[in-house]
Amino acid sequence: MAIQRTFSIIKPDATKRNLTGAIAAKFEAAGLRIVASKRIQLSLAQAQTFYGVHSERPFFGELCEFMISEPIVVQVLEGEDAIAKNREVMGATNPADADEGTIRKEFALSIGENSVHGSDAPETAAEEIAFFFSGLELVG
Ligand code: GDP
């Protein structure tokens, strides 16, 4: 498997509890290199655009309000099979279903406040990276 890049968000529940470094350490321990990183505050319009694929879901409003409730940390992670590896280290969406040692098992509060986002495929990774980072910020 080739070297890939994927997109990650450390979500408001985690930044609020000062877990940015603890979560970054999990990525690094899994062999993922953080090649870009910034702390930002999303607007409601940006959150709605980013999560547009979920706009018909009953939790859409709650999800967008949550994502703008505190700053987030957006990151680009690089490594061998990075998209799948990141999903593995994140754990299942619902922390009750997440495996031991995963970020969501250790840190997530609920299915909504679940500490991290990670791209699920090469196409979404490319789109999500481009949504938050300019080429100049991606030196590798
Ligand atoms: P992910 O790829 O594991 O993040 O999961 P999904 O793409 O299915 O959902 C996107 C995000 O929406 C999740 O990470 C949660 O923050 C949120 N979410 C998903 N299901 C629910 C739910 O039933 N209730 C609430 N409040 N949020 C949810």
Side-chain angles (χ1 to χ4, degrees):
M1 177 43 90
I3 298 290
Q4 286 181 327
R5 284 183 172 183
T6 190
F7 175 73
S8 165
I9 301 178
I10 301 177
K11 292 184 177 182
D13 66 284
T15 61
K16 189 176 183 178
R17 289 177 290 147
N18 211 18
L19 293 170
T20 298
I23 290 174
K26 287 277 201 189
F27 295 142
E28 292 182 343
L32 294 164
R33 183 177 297 275
I34 300 166
V35 297
S37 183
K38 58 186 175 186
R39 183 176 169 97
I40 61 170
Q41 175 85 49
L42 280 183
S43 69
L44 182 59
Q46 287 168 331
Q48 289 169 335
T49 302
F50 182 75
Y51 277 116
V53 66
H54 293 307
S55 63
E56 302 303 319
R57 309 283 284 276
F59 57 82
F60 181 64
E62 196 182 327
L63 173 60
C64 293
E65 287 299 329
F66 164 61
M67 291 301 293
I68 67 169
S69 64
E70 293 280 336
I72 59 173
V73 176
V74 292
Q75 299 185 312
V76 180
L77 309 178
E78 184 178 271
E80 191 85 10
D81 206 6
I83 295 167
K85 189 173 283 178
N86 182 41
R87 297 289 306 185
E88 200 179 301
V89 77
M90 286 166 60
T93 308
N94 186 343
D97 302 329
D99 289 339
E100 289 299 330
T102 61
I103 292 168
R104 283 167 165 169
K105 180 71 175 184
E106 265 181 52
F107 302 123
L109 299 175
S110 65
I111 191 170
E113 299 193 26
N114 61 2
S115 303
V116 280
H117 164 86
S119 308
D120 59 4
E123 299 71 31
T124 46
E127 278 173 28
E128 291 174 358
I129 289 169
F131 188 80
F132 285 101
F133 291 96
S134 73
L136 281 176
E137 294 174 300
L138 294 168
V139 291

